[in-house]
Each structure stands twice: as C-alpha cells, then as structure tokens.
Amino acid sequence: MKFTSCCITAAIIISSALSSNASADDNAAIRQAKMNYPINVIAQNYTDSEGVLLQGFLSTPNTTTTSTKKVPAVVIMNDSSGTDAYEKQRATMIANELGYVAFAADTFGVETEIPVDTGGWGGPYADFISTFIRNATLFTQRIAAAVDH
C-alpha cells in the first residue's frame, strides 16, 4: 500500500507521557482503561531504502463508506522498546475514534533483537538505542519508509 501526498495528509506522532496535571490515581485509571482497549491492526511488511525488512501495523477506520474516500493518515513511531501493544493500541484508537488511517511503524527492523534494558544508562541497550539517536540519516530513512508504505 503506497500513501501519496495528494490522497492523505501524513503526520508523525511520537509516543508521549500522560499529562502531569492529572493526579497519580487519575493517571493509573487512564492507563488501565487504555490497556484494555482492543487492538485491531493488520501486520504490514515493508523495507527501507537499504532493503532492511520492517514490520508495521495498519489500522483503518471502521466505516461503511467506500474505500475511495480520502482520509488523513498518521504514522506512529515506536519508543525504545520497539513497536509493541502500546503503539498498536494507539493506531487502533486513532482509526476508531478519529476516523484516520493509522500506521504503527517499525524503527528497528524485524530481525533486530532489542537488548534487555538494565535500568541504567550504558551497556548493550544504550549502545543499541544510540545507533538510532546518533544517526539521523538512519532514523529519517526508517521514518520515510513508513510514510512511503
């Protein structure tokens, strides 16, 4: 599936923390409710410009309109834990609640093993994440692959 700029407006959303204005109990209740939100995505394999296999997850609006209707699209980039249930839930929520096409992208690649986070900065996990943080070209390439998919 190729998204073109004439059909869809693409946006990139990077996962963010809950608002600090809410109380801890409110945040816990919100997180619990969001954890129970059903996931409805379709796995989509695609490659970046260097041929690295990536796997994103597509969620489309549940509407009875024809497939020719143009709707906005949102690309959701994963955090340091990779594309997991959190990003898939956000894609489903955006599709169901806003009526947008949502694509939870893959920054790291299908074959990549993410090292265990030991809780401190340093070691294999930090080195792995630094690969993407310090290489804007690679990171931009992965974003472009998701948008072009």
Side-chain angles (χ1 to χ4, degrees):
M1 171 186 255
K2 190 94 165 165
F3 295 124
T4 60
S5 59
C6 67
C7 297
I8 298 174
T9 303
I12 298 173
I13 295 179
I14 299 175
S15 303
S16 62
L18 293 169
S19 171
S20 60
N21 295 335
S23 72
D25 289 340
D26 289 342
N27 284 343
I30 291 168
R31 274 194 296 277
Q32 184 60 40
K34 288 180 179 178
M35 287 174 48
N36 293 329
Y37 200 95
I39 295 173
N40 184 17
V41 295
I42 299 169
Q44 300 278 307
N45 289 338
Y46 61 106
T47 58
D48 70 4
S49 61
E50 293 182 355
V52 174
L53 180 62
L54 305 163
Q55 184 175 62
F57 298 88
L58 181 70
S59 188
T60 57
N62 293 329
T63 62
T64 57
T65 60
T66 63
S67 61
T68 59
K69 180 181 176 190
K70 297 176 185 177
V71 297
V74 175
V75 175
I76 302 163
M77 300 307 297
N78 58 278
D79 57 19
S80 62
S81 64
T83 305
D84 56 21
Y86 181 84
E87 288 80 13
K88 294 173 191 177
Q89 280 182 326
R90 294 303 170 265
T92 302
M93 292 170 85
I94 289 168
N96 290 346
E97 296 176 15
L98 300 177
Y100 297 176
V101 170
F103 186 69
D106 177 9
T107 305
F108 303 139
V110 173
E111 301 295 321
T112 304
E113 285 191 39
I114 301 172
V116 175
D117 182 4
T118 58
W121 190 248
Y125 180 75
D127 292 342
F128 172 75
I129 298 302
S130 293
T131 302
F132 297 90
I133 293 173
R134 294 189 178 138
N135 188 341
T137 302
L138 175 62
F139 191 63
T140 303
Q141 176 182 307
R142 299 290 170 86
I143 293 170
V147 171
D148 290 343
H149 180 71

